[in-house]
Amino acid sequence: MSYSIGILVGSLRKDSFSKKIALAISKKLPEDFEGKLIDISRLALFNQDLEAEPPQEWLDFREEVKSSDGVLFVTPEYNRSIPAVLKNALDVASRPYGQGAWQGKPGAIASSSPGKIGGFGASQHLRQAAVCVGLEVMGSPEFYLGGVHEILDGNGDVSGAY
């Protein structure tokens, strides 16, 4: 049996550290796990007025989340919290109320930053919101990667020095 892990990256920057870390993690998954990046960059901002006729990208995104056996969030820290694009993704897939795509879905969080505390604030804010929408977020192991800019080589791979 093979397991599909949806990977949501909280940074939209083309060469983001979070995306590079997400790809490095996906390469290290066991053979029976497949990591699949789920694009959140084109999601319209959540607006409850749109729920009667949700945009197609919301419906497609919800299906991608539902079809994943679990999810991994890889996020940078912006001002001690998560990027707005990641919070928007949580909100979009949490609807319709009581039937959200996150309900009972296993989840994990990896955070990083150039600073020494590795995105701890972002991870904690994300955990708080994720649990609220029904994700079953792993309590451990915890993943806070400080000094992210120092451990990636020119190809975006984790250097052997780490």
Side-chain angles (χ1 to χ4, degrees):
M1 179 174 202
S2 182
Y3 299 96
S4 173
I5 306 300
I7 303 173
L8 289 87
V9 176
S11 175
L12 299 180
R13 190 168 62 90
K14 184 179 100 182
D15 291 323
S16 80
F17 297 135
S18 294
K19 186 173 183 181
K20 290 175 182 177
I21 295 299
L23 292 171
I25 290 171
S26 69
K27 290 178 188 174
K28 297 291 186 186
L29 292 174
E31 275 185 35
D32 52 344
F33 285 79
E34 178 188 355
K36 175 182 69 169
L37 289 179
I38 298 177
D39 184 13
I40 61 174
S41 68
R42 292 184 174 84
L43 290 175
L45 290 176
F46 179 75
N47 178 343
Q48 197 168 359
D49 292 340
L50 300 177
E51 283 194 299
E53 294 182 38
Q56 188 61 47
E57 72 255 19
W58 286 10
L59 299 173
D60 294 343
F61 174 65
R62 291 171 181 167
E63 255 333 288
E64 279 191 274
V65 171
K66 284 181 182 178
S67 70
S68 298
D69 296 306
V71 292
L72 170 65
F73 297 92
V74 182
T75 187
E77 183 170 284
Y78 291 176
N79 301 317
R80 297 280 188 252
S81 189
I82 60 174
V85 68
L86 197 50
K87 177 62 167 78
N88 186 57
L90 281 172
D91 293 341
V92 166
S94 72
R95 307 300 282 198
Y97 182 76
Q99 302 168 40
W102 306 118
Q103 286 297 119
K105 184 80 56 187
I109 299 170
S111 62
S112 66
S113 77
K116 296 199 183 293
I117 60 174
F120 176 82
S123 182
Q124 295 308 302
H125 277 186
L126 180 53
R127 181 177 307 280
Q128 181 181 15
V131 169
C132 180
V133 298
L135 272 152
E136 295 183 10
V137 181
M138 291 175 26
S140 67
E142 294 181 308
F143 185 104
Y144 313 108
L145 180 60
V148 66
H149 62 295
E150 296 171 352
I151 65 131
L152 295 170
D153 65 22
N155 298 319
D157 294 321
V158 175
S159 71
Y162 194 76

